[in-house]
Amino acid sequence: MKLAWITIFKVLFLFSYTLAQPSTEIDYSTPSSSDFYKNEKITFTCEATGYTDLRTLQLRYEADGDSEIYRSGCSRSAEDDTIWVSLSTPDITAVSGIEGPGVSNAYCTSVGKPEGSTLSVQLNITDSTLKGKFYCRGFEGGGVGEILSSEVPMKVKVAPTDLLLNKPETIIEGEEFTFDCNSTGADPVSVYEYKVNGNTVAGKYTPTETDRAGLTISCTDTEHANWKRGNTEQTVTIIPHYLAKIPGVQDPIVKEFNPGQSDAKLDCSQHVDANPPLFNFTWTYSGVVTTETSNELPLKSRTDGVTETASCTANNGLSKTVTIKWNITWNDAAKIVTTTSTTTTKKSVNKGGLIGGIVGALIGVGVMVAVVVSVVMVRKSKERRFRADAENAKDSKEKSNLAPQPVYTSDGAKKDKRNGNRHSLSKPQTQQKHKDDPIIYADLDLKSQPRALITKPSGDTPADSVLYTSIDHIKTRKLKDQLDEPSIPTTAPPPPPLYGNVTDN
């Protein structure tokens, strides 16, 4: 009975010891999942759990064929068992081709714990030729010793700097073509997946009629599928070259023409589908090869009942050709159809003449605008001048109504109109005039009152009467010189009549 209790106690002790056994685990993460890529940051994590007296926790690196062990991590200080410090050299970042910020004392102070801890170390591998392994090491006091994690082998990949899709320059309908891809700078050699219109193929394909709208060809670098920063996929679209009859075209085509139709012709391009477009035509008419090389063949008008044959062989640069045939019948009962030529001719444009025409039109518009502006300005100037003359005439009229109106009598004396006083005044001397020129002896402002002009009496008009006339009837050169100014509106009221005799010398 006693032996049984001893056995149970040993089992429980071993079980409890197993539960308390400390462990050390390693893990890592990269932007590209599980792959190590050149010049890409890798974060390693060492996790220690189940410890009661953790003394050190470190990430280690051992290069293949090198007995040196490089480590980065934290341990308890030899001077003070309660303080955690970074490990002494050699640090992992001392390895040529591995870079990183390292582990500082400040970092160790924040993560060091006797019962367990988590250590993170960031590294950047700059040499793709490095080969080795990473693992984590924990050390438990009390005689337990070191506890190592599993190992992570390092195999550095070089992501592609450029992915190229190699294909034929020309893809022809009905002919198989092959294509492949390669990555510049990729190491190791990439493995590619090829697709045409989304379907996986073995790097070759034969286009059919359904592919005339275009083929989408792609390749994917599956070896570096997790690379997030590089070019791992390339896609191109290409339209195959083809030459074929349009579906449904008869062989031969039956055609009727009326003998009266002068523009009868055949068009070969209407019955052929091609990429690139057709550019070479050979015509045979009634068994004779013609000199016509365009897509249309003019026909000679025949009499009623005549039958003929014609054929056209078309080519667009491919190794194959297409031939279209016709059976032609001339029939008086056939409808005359007006045909429209499909042949196009590119006309050259005289750029110099076009530019000259535009410049000339602009100059003409500018001249027209200048003329209109000049006319408007002249009219406005005349209006201002006529308005000023009218104001002057009005002012002069008002002054003349207030002032006495002197006149000359037949004996040459001046008589005041208001009081009848006579004053001795010699009659003005005049030069010899034309016999029709009138002589006016009056204080008359001819410029301000251009309609109050006195002319010589004629006919049975009394000699002492006053006549009013317009400026057009002035014959006296002297008076006309005084009145050589624009006239005011003819609706202005006439001035008061003048008294006195008008004498003709």
Side-chain angles (χ1 to χ4, degrees):
M1 185 70 177
K2 183 178 180 180
L3 181 61
W5 280 107
I6 293 174
T7 303
I8 294 173
F9 177 78
K10 287 182 178 181
V11 171
L12 292 175
F13 175 79
L14 292 174
F15 180 74
S16 62
Y17 178 81
T18 303
L19 291 177
Q21 181 71 25
S23 83
T24 304
E25 302 292 337
I26 186 172
D27 196 7
Y28 67 95
S29 63
T30 71
S32 300
S33 185
S34 60
D35 294 327
F36 291 175
Y37 283 101
K38 179 182 176 181
N39 295 324
E40 187 174 68
K41 184 173 65 177
I42 305 171
T43 302
F44 289 93
T45 302
C46 295
E47 185 175 10
T49 58
Y51 285 80
T52 59
D53 187 19
L54 180 63
R55 309 297 296 179
T56 183
L57 182 62
Q58 56 190 256
L59 173 69
R60 289 189 169 191
Y61 170 71
E62 293 184 23
D64 291 351
D66 188 355
S67 60
E68 186 73 48
I69 299 176
Y70 299 88
R71 56 191 184 274
S72 296
C74 304
S75 66
R76 295 189 186 187
S77 171
E79 289 79 15
D80 188 344
D81 192 59
T82 62
I83 299 176
W84 287 77
V85 295
S86 60
L87 299 177
S88 58
T89 56
D91 192 87
I92 294 180
T93 56
V95 178
S96 177
I98 299 180
E99 299 177 353
V103 178
S104 65
N105 289 336
Y107 175 80
C108 291
T109 300
S110 64
V111 300
K113 298 177 182 179
E115 65 275 14
S117 183
T118 300
L119 174 71
S120 293
V121 180
Q122 292 183 349
L123 300 175
N124 181 22
I125 302 174
T126 60
D127 185 355
S128 61
T129 63
L130 290 179
K131 293 183 180 180
K133 60 185 178 181
F134 289 93
Y135 61 93
C136 293
R137 175 183 182 268
F139 191 89
E140 170 78 335
V144 177
E146 68 176 10
I147 302 171
L148 304 178
S149 70
S150 59
E151 297 177 351
V152 176
M154 182 179 68
K155 182 180 179 181
V156 182
K157 296 182 178 180
V158 179
T161 56
D162 191 16
L163 184 65
L164 302 177
L165 191 154
N166 307 304
K167 61 176 182 57
E169 186 67 25
T170 302
I171 296 175
I172 302 175
E173 180 181 304
E175 297 182 10
E176 183 181 85
F177 71 94
T178 61
F179 64 101
D180 58 22
C181 295
N182 68 280
S183 301
T184 302
D187 181 32
V189 177
S190 297
V191 178
Y192 302 102
E193 180 183 53
Y194 302 102
K195 291 184 178 181
V196 174
N197 292 339
N199 300 315
T200 302
V201 297
K204 57 184 179 181
Y205 185 75
T206 302
T208 64
E209 182 180 342
T210 59
D211 299 319
R212 291 181 181 178
L215 289 172
T216 300
I217 306 171
S218 67
C219 67
T220 303
D221 181 353
T222 58
E223 178 70 19
H224 300 94
N226 294 322
W227 175 248
K228 305 302 180 183
R229 297 184 298 167
N231 177 18
T232 60
E233 185 175 1
Q234 182 75 15
T235 301
V236 297
T237 300
I238 186 170
I239 298 177
H241 286 192
Y242 56 89
L243 176 64
K245 292 181 182 180
I246 294 177
V249 174
Q250 295 176 312
D251 187 22
I253 300 172
V254 178
K255 193 77 172 177
E256 277 192 347
F257 290 100
N258 190 299
Q261 185 167 341
S262 59
D263 61 344
K265 56 189 172 183
L266 303 175
D267 189 344
C268 188
S269 61
Q270 289 183 348
H271 309 288
V272 181
D273 189 9
N275 175 50
L278 300 172
F279 64 86
N280 188 14
F281 302 88
T282 302
W283 287 93
T284 301
Y285 185 30
S286 295
V288 179
V289 178
T290 70
T291 58
E292 184 62 55
T293 58
S294 70
N295 61 300
E296 293 182 340
L297 175 67
L299 301 180
K300 296 180 180 179
S301 181
R302 309 292 189 184
T303 58
D304 181 49
V306 174
T307 59
E308 300 177 298
T309 60
S311 66
C312 165
T313 300
N315 179 256
N316 64 345
L318 301 182
S319 58
K320 60 184 294 186
T321 59
V322 171
T323 300
I324 307 298
K325 298 178 181 179
W326 287 268
N327 284 346
I328 304 168
T329 301
W330 296 89
N331 187 351
D332 287 338
K335 183 179 179 181
I336 297 178
V337 179
T338 302
T339 59
T340 303
S341 175
T342 59
T343 303
T344 59
T345 303
K346 185 177 181 181
K347 298 183 179 180
S348 61
V349 179
N350 188 339
K351 295 183 178 179
L354 180 61
I355 296 175
I358 295 175
V359 173
L362 293 175
I363 293 175
V365 172
V367 171
M368 183 178 297
V369 172
V371 170
V372 172
V373 172
S374 300
V375 171
V376 172
M377 295 299 293
V378 169
R379 288 185 177 179
K380 288 186 176 181
S381 177
K382 288 184 177 181
E383 289 177 1
R384 287 194 296 269
R385 188 171 59 182
F386 292 164
R387 193 177 296 110
D389 290 343
E391 294 294 333
N392 292 335
K394 180 179 179 181
D395 295 342
S396 178
K397 176 182 176 182
E398 292 174 355
K399 292 179 182 179
S400 62
N401 289 339
L402 298 175
Q405 301 290 335
V407 297
Y408 290 95
T409 61
S410 58
D411 58 1
K414 186 168 74 172
K415 181 178 180 181
D416 193 301
K417 179 178 177 181
R418 292 177 297 176
N419 53 28
N421 295 331
R422 296 172 62 87
H423 305 278
S424 176
L425 180 64
S426 299
K427 183 177 179 181
Q429 299 297 319
T430 61
Q431 298 179 357
Q432 183 66 30
K433 296 178 173 57
H434 191 280
K435 77 175 189 175
D436 292 334
D437 290 347
I439 300 174
I440 301 175
Y441 301 97
D443 292 337
L444 182 63
D445 187 355
L446 298 178
K447 290 186 177 182
S448 62
Q449 299 178 0
R451 287 191 57 82
L453 306 179
I454 303 175
T455 185
K456 178 181 177 181
S458 61
D460 55 356
T461 305
D464 58 350
S465 62
V466 179
L467 299 179
Y468 297 91
T469 184
S470 67
I471 192 171
D472 297 330
H473 292 83
I474 299 176
K475 296 182 180 180
T476 305
R477 185 175 296 105
K478 180 178 180 181
L479 297 179
K480 184 170 178 60
D481 291 340
Q482 297 180 19
L483 295 172
D484 194 17
E485 295 289 336
S487 62
I488 62 174
T490 56
T491 57
L498 302 178
Y499 299 93
N501 296 326
V502 179
T503 334
D504 183 20
N505 289 343

